[in-house]
Amino acid sequence: MKSELRLGIAGLGTVGAKVAQLIERKAELLAERVGRSIRITAISARDRSRGRGFDADGMAWFDDPVELAEKGEIDAFVELIGGADGVARQAVEAALSRGIPVVTANKALLAHHGVALARLAAENDTEILFEAAVAGGIPAIKTMREALSANEVSRVYGILNGTCNYILTRMEKEGISFDACLKDAQALGYAEADPTFDIGGFDAAHKLAILTSLAFGTEISLESIFIEGISKITIADIVAAAELGYRIKLLAVALNTDSGIEQRVHPAMIPARSSLAQVDGVTNAVAIDSDLLGSILLAGPGAGGAATASAVLSDIMDVAGGFVPPTLGLPPSRLQPYHRARMRAHEGGYYIRLAVFDRVGAFASIASRMAENGISLESIVQRKADRRAGEGTAPVILVTHDTTEAAIRAALEGLSRDGHLSGEPQMIRIEDLD
Ligand SMILES: NC(=O)c1ccc[n+]([C@@H]2O[C@H](COP(=O)([O-])OP(=O)(O)OC[C@H]3O[C@@H](n4cnc5c(N)ncnc54)[C@H](OP(=O)(O)O)[C@@H]3O)[C@@H](O)[C@H]2O)c1
């Protein structure tokens, strides 16, 4: 048997403590599978006095994770602190500078600094592994980087945020408002006290940025992602979606188009019969369309201590077994510069819900604004006007044939100017899926 792999783990919270517990509990099985024992020799967290559910005897304690990375007697460094900058980044840089491979679950770090870190790793003849950074326990990174390595990917998309999917699922199944669902998600620990990062779509965007780089062999470009969260989705939209044969999901999509790569995160109506539409609750899913394999869908737990630790451990075992592929699938010098497709050029169908004053001229305005922007309608449904408080408004729901984002935005701006709407129009993109 080869000499043991000595690990330094920085961050012993939900994921880090679970990884350490599992290394203790499954020591024999892991050693048998990789032909080498794996031992934690150094650890770091903020509070030394807290019990973490594993025996830390014989492990060197570091108050400072950067010092652990710089000086610890380790063969691999596991970063499970989190955050794009600060000590997590410094510690990862310190380990790479020593030529020590890094395993991390930190999507923010990779989405912001992945290319620079991949370069630093390559310069020091080592790599970063980050299976847990995208969709928790789902093996999306390995699938993309290894199993699909002979394929050309045309689209990668999925449900990458469990909090949003939980909220949208409950809104749909129980008819509860967005605000009430969010409160429940917070009480159950699915959503943070400040939920902006999740419900605003930013968490999903971090994961998408990483997937996009692997899918298309490009540099990571988080800032190019069009991001729209789920807070404006109402029960009226969910009911209308069901009537039209759709379900609403927060979708993250990266698409290779003639004018560049389109990356977007937004609520989308997807066909109710599609496989992705069956992904409910906190479950995540990653779908990949490629030339040889066609379409595949991976679904499973996108968060949680054990599921995320499963992905971290698989990376640790790869390091132990000497299987360490290039960080972003290619040597950093061969990553293509990112070429961005403008969101205004996005093509697809759209759902539009308008609150229209019940008066002469409203329908003519809708028809002419659509026509002047070259938008053809698949359906238009007007509900009965509500006249209880003075002048009534009637909900009008439009579904368009494929058109462009630029045309839709121009039409909605025109409609708002015409003065027949009692509020902001609601617009939800329709995604064409099998
Ligand atoms: N939780 C999940 O389900 C999940 C899923 C996928 C990916 N991830 C990623 O995994 C990483 C860890 O997440 P988590 O949920 O395990 O976070 P967490 O429970 O908040 O744990 C963070 C750990 O980092 C330690 N820490 C924070 N600042 C530190 C500092 N300055 N010096 C030393 N230690 C410090 C904390 O120490 P104390 O314990 O002493 O406070 C804690 O042990 C993040 O990058 C996250 O995005 C998490």
Side-chain angles (χ1 to χ4, degrees):
M1 212 182 233
K2 279 198 243 164
S3 63
E4 67 184 3
L5 179 84
R6 298 167 305 169
L7 283 185
I9 303 187
L12 299 169
T14 307
V15 184
K18 198 66 182 177
V19 168
Q21 290 160 17
L22 289 169
I23 288 176
E24 180 177 272
R25 206 177 85 207
K26 290 180 169 252
E28 234 170 82
L29 178 133
L30 302 186
E32 210 173 275
R33 292 201 176 152
V34 294
R36 184 177 185 189
S37 60
I38 295 171
R39 186 163 69 92
I40 304 170
T41 52
I43 49 175
S44 175
R46 277 179 301 212
D47 181 355
R48 186 173 186 168
S49 65
R50 246 178 76 192
R52 311 273 177 177
F54 64 93
D55 181 2
D57 271 5
M59 299 178 191
W61 173 271
F62 287 81
D63 284 326
D64 179 3
V66 184
E67 199 185 334
L68 189 168
E70 281 169 349
K71 302 191 185 140
E73 290 185 15
I74 56 173
D75 305 305
F77 178 68
V78 184
E79 184 278 305
L80 297 168
I81 295 172
D85 291 290
V87 291
R89 181 180 177 191
Q90 288 167 32
V92 166
E93 287 173 349
L96 295 176
S97 301
R98 277 174 80 187
I100 287 179
V102 169
V103 172
T104 182
N106 191 336
K107 59 214 153 210
L109 178 72
L110 282 150
H112 286 275
H113 308 297
V115 176
L117 291 172
R119 288 199 186 108
L120 180 63
E123 278 160 27
N124 290 284
D125 206 15
T126 189
E127 303 296 350
I128 310 167
L129 291 96
F130 51 90
E131 183 61 71
V134 176
I138 303 174
I141 303 298
K142 275 182 198 294
T143 302
M144 190 85 85
R145 195 174 50 199
E146 295 156 33
L148 297 184
S149 56
N151 282 257
E152 284 169 58
V153 174
S154 52
R155 176 169 67 168
V156 54
Y157 58 99
I159 295 172
L160 300 180
N161 184 272
T163 308
C164 289
N165 209 41
Y166 168 83
I167 291 173
L168 291 172
T169 304
R170 282 205 64 195
M171 284 175 77
E172 182 187 339
K173 301 236 161 151
E174 297 172 44
I176 307 173
S177 73
F178 171 81
D179 289 330
C181 286
L182 175 58
K183 279 208 184 86
D184 281 358
Q186 285 169 320
L188 288 164
Y190 294 149
E192 304 284 334
D194 175 3
T196 322
F197 191 64
D198 287 318
I199 62 170
F202 305 103
D203 171 75
H206 280 121
K207 298 168 186 166
L208 181 69
I210 300 167
L211 282 177
T212 305
S213 167
L214 287 165
F216 305 125
T218 59
E219 294 181 349
I220 294 171
S221 185
L222 178 65
E223 60 285 355
S224 303
I225 303 181
F226 171 85
I227 305 173
E228 198 178 280
I230 63 165
S231 56
K232 286 191 186 152
I233 300 296
T234 65
I235 296 293
D237 298 318
I238 286 177
V239 169
E243 287 170 6
L244 292 162
Y246 294 110
R247 297 185 72 191
I248 299 177
K249 299 286 183 188
L250 181 76
L251 217 60
V253 186
L255 187 68
N256 208 355
T257 75
D258 291 341
S259 58
I261 294 172
E262 187 176 295
Q263 286 188 100
R264 47 192 166 85
V265 173
H266 54 75
M269 289 202 179
I270 62 174
R273 60 169 199 289
S274 63
S275 320
L276 200 62
Q278 317 315 316
V279 175
D280 278 340
V282 292
T283 304
N284 279 202
V286 177
I288 307 160
D289 296 345
S290 63
D291 59 345
L292 307 180
L293 195 58
S295 298
I296 59 162
L297 179 76
L298 308 167
T308 310
S310 159
V312 173
L313 283 169
S314 80
D315 282 345
I316 293 173
M317 288 167 81
D318 278 352
V319 173
F323 179 71
V324 185
T327 299
L328 294 170
L330 291 171
S333 59
R334 284 182 28 220
L335 291 171
Q336 297 296 312
Y338 184 88
H339 183 52
R340 170 192 195 162
R342 288 162 62 238
M343 189 59 193
R344 293 180 71 82
H346 166 71
E347 288 179 23
Y350 289 78
Y351 154 96
I352 295 161
R353 180 169 53 78
L354 306 169
V356 178
F357 288 123
D358 187 24
R359 58 164 95 121
V360 175
F363 261 76
S365 148
I366 295 173
S368 72
R369 292 301 175 187
M370 294 296 147
E372 75 191 19
N373 288 289
I375 300 167
S376 71
L377 296 178
E378 187 179 299
S379 71
I380 177 163
V381 177
Q382 181 184 11
R383 299 270 155 78
K384 223 170 156 223
D386 180 356
R387 292 174 187 280
R388 277 169 298 185
E391 187 179 24
T393 61
V396 174
I397 289 168
L398 315 173
V399 176
T400 76
H401 285 294
D402 280 4
T403 180
T404 65
E405 181 94 3
I408 286 290
R409 288 193 201 171
L412 294 184
E413 277 160 25
L415 268 173
S416 296
R417 277 198 307 273
D418 290 345
H420 296 292
L421 305 184
S422 80
E424 282 285 298
Q426 171 72 300
M427 178 264 269
I428 301 176
R429 297 167 191 84
I430 297 172
E431 197 74 17
D432 189 18
L433 302 178
D434 295 329

